[in-house]
Amino acid sequence: MKIEKLPSGSYRIRKMYKGQTYTVITDYKPTQKEALKLMADELDRVKADGRSQKHVTFQEAATGYIEVKRNVLSPSTIAGYERISKALSDWFRKLLVSDISILDVQKEVNDYSAGRSPKTVRNAHCFISAVLSMYRPEISLRTSLPQKVKSETYVPTNDEVKKVVERAKGTEYEIAILLAALGLRRSEICALKADDLQGNTLRINKALVENSEHGFTEKGTKTTDSAREIYLPDELAELIRERGYIYKGYPGNILKFLHRAQDALGIPRFKLHALRHYYASTAHAIGIPDSYIMQSGGWQSDNVLKSVYRHALDEEKERMQKQAAEYIAGKILS
């Protein structure tokens, strides 16, 4: 049996037993007696459940985890896991699962954070945690993660949306832009067929998402609440019937068109998803109850809606404050 200090500061106890190397990691230097007890406990656990799954590299464990989850998670989630797995450092991917300590995970997260957003780092940590939970359920991570950055929810104005819609008129992107302004996600728009429209009712029950082969796969909607039916205005319903399709191009080209249009029009760049915010904000402004807005847009919770409304209220607050300040100035300064 061998006890050695790792670069992370942890201590590794190793023992060869029946041709297999077994490892125990501690955050302190154990005595010989403690090491014997810890290793005996480890061997007892292995004998009790017949597992040797800890004695694989993290990369092997990650591959195994992805395969187990492939048929129950969406293709886009699997593709994201595979990207994370490839982006982790070589030294971490080559570590035996049995050797990985909480300090190793912290070091990997620290290295991974360089040049990446807090959200990206958190996603990677969630993946690492999920893999380790499957192969080492006894491990309890206490990783310090980058602080979340509060993102501003951009809500396009009526004028900005109108200009974009006019720019899209007659192009292959016209219907896609109009549907986005009615609260649809890009993945939903790209999966729609003309026969999903019955009268003025559009049935949304599928999505086109990126897969691990860098292509796109059709699947169910993002959540059970996302499957829904929405009403289309006569002009849009008739346009879909005239064309016989909704959108046939590459999904990413819609955003490229949107950015080209914004640059040509001299308006701020915003993503296609911001049109969902526009829909929620406009529907709220004209008095549509939140429950109906959530159903129409396929939102599972009102968290996004509250963020959108907060943005709209901040703009209104600024306008009101300006109006009050100018009124008072006119009374006391003139």
Side-chain angles (χ1 to χ4, degrees):
M1 187 172 61
K2 186 177 180 182
I3 303 173
E4 55 187 341
K5 188 175 182 179
L6 299 174
S8 64
S10 298
Y11 286 84
R12 176 170 61 195
I13 309 164
R14 277 187 157 182
K15 179 180 177 66
M16 180 72 75
Y17 177 73
K18 293 185 177 180
Q20 174 71 60
T21 300
Y22 293 91
T23 305
V24 175
I25 302 294
T26 65
D27 293 327
Y28 60 93
K29 185 177 181 179
T31 64
Q32 191 69 20
K33 184 177 180 180
E34 288 172 331
L36 287 169
K37 177 68 168 61
L38 289 168
M39 183 54 69
D41 291 343
E42 172 66 9
L43 291 173
D44 285 344
R45 281 196 297 271
V46 171
K47 291 175 184 176
D49 58 21
R51 285 183 294 128
S52 59
Q53 60 183 14
K54 292 183 186 179
H55 306 288
V56 295
T57 65
F58 181 84
Q59 182 59 63
E60 291 169 334
T63 301
Y65 177 85
I66 290 170
E67 288 307 312
V68 166
K69 299 292 184 179
R70 190 174 294 278
N71 292 331
V72 294
L73 297 178
S74 74
S76 57
T77 300
I78 293 296
Y81 284 166
E82 290 180 337
R83 284 194 294 270
I84 292 171
S85 181
K86 291 176 183 176
L88 295 174
S89 63
D90 286 342
W91 77 268
F92 187 80
R93 288 189 289 129
K94 291 177 181 177
L95 283 177
L96 288 176
V97 169
S98 56
D99 286 359
I100 295 175
S101 69
I102 57 176
L103 292 176
D104 292 324
V105 175
Q106 184 67 68
K107 182 178 184 304
E108 177 63 13
V109 166
N110 292 347
D111 294 343
Y112 193 86
S113 298
R116 293 185 171 94
S117 71
K119 182 179 179 181
T120 300
V121 176
R122 286 176 179 275
N123 288 343
H125 181 261
C126 283
F127 175 67
I128 291 171
S129 177
V131 173
L132 291 179
S133 293
M134 176 175 280
Y135 285 79
R136 283 183 59 190
E138 79 283 357
I139 195 169
S140 178
L141 298 179
R142 299 184 294 277
T143 315
S144 297
L145 299 172
Q147 187 173 1
K148 290 182 179 179
V149 177
K150 185 178 180 180
S151 59
E152 281 294 320
T153 301
Y154 186 76
V155 182
T157 65
N158 279 314
D159 185 57
E160 289 169 348
V161 175
K162 184 176 181 180
K163 286 180 178 179
V164 168
V165 167
E166 288 175 349
R167 188 84 178 184
K169 196 160 189 173
T171 72
E172 62 181 307
Y173 306 104
E174 181 179 6
I175 294 173
I177 296 294
L178 288 169
L179 289 174
L182 289 176
L184 273 69
R185 301 175 178 89
R186 187 192 74 172
S187 59
E188 295 168 343
I189 294 168
C190 292
L192 285 168
K193 306 292 187 295
D195 58 9
D196 290 320
L197 178 66
Q198 299 295 324
N200 286 64
T201 300
L202 185 64
R203 184 177 65 254
I204 303 160
N205 56 13
K206 51 190 175 294
L208 195 69
V209 299
E210 189 176 1
N211 59 35
S212 56
E213 283 76 43
H214 305 293
F216 287 85
T217 301
E218 191 174 290
K219 70 170 201 66
T221 49
K222 185 175 182 181
T223 67
T224 53
D225 292 318
S226 296
R228 62 202 188 276
E229 293 182 346
I230 66 168
Y231 176 87
L232 299 187
D234 292 337
E235 299 88 344
L236 179 52
E238 188 57 35
L239 179 59
I240 292 173
R241 279 189 282 270
E242 284 177 4
R243 291 199 180 179
Y245 67 92
I246 290 173
Y247 181 70
K248 291 182 177 179
Y250 181 76
N253 287 345
I254 303 175
L255 179 61
K256 290 180 181 178
F257 166 80
L258 180 60
H259 284 341
R260 288 197 304 270
Q262 291 160 342
D263 292 345
L265 293 165
I267 62 177
R269 277 193 173 193
F270 54 82
K271 294 183 179 180
L272 187 72
H273 201 78
L275 291 175
R276 274 172 60 78
H277 302 158
Y278 167 79
Y279 169 78
S281 179
T282 303
H284 180 73
I286 63 175
I288 305 297
D290 285 2
S291 58
Y292 289 105
I293 298 173
M294 289 171 62
Q295 193 280 327
S296 296
W299 281 287
Q300 199 168 23
S301 76
D302 63 356
N303 292 338
V304 174
L305 301 191
K306 287 177 179 176
S307 174
V308 171
Y309 300 161
R310 205 161 35 240
H311 176 90
L313 288 171
D314 285 345
E315 287 189 342
E316 185 67 8
K317 178 183 71 176
E318 184 178 344
R319 188 181 71 81
M320 292 293 185
Q321 287 176 343
K322 182 179 179 182
Q323 182 179 333
E326 289 178 346
Y327 177 83
I328 292 171
K331 291 292 184 182
I332 64 176
L333 297 178
S334 58

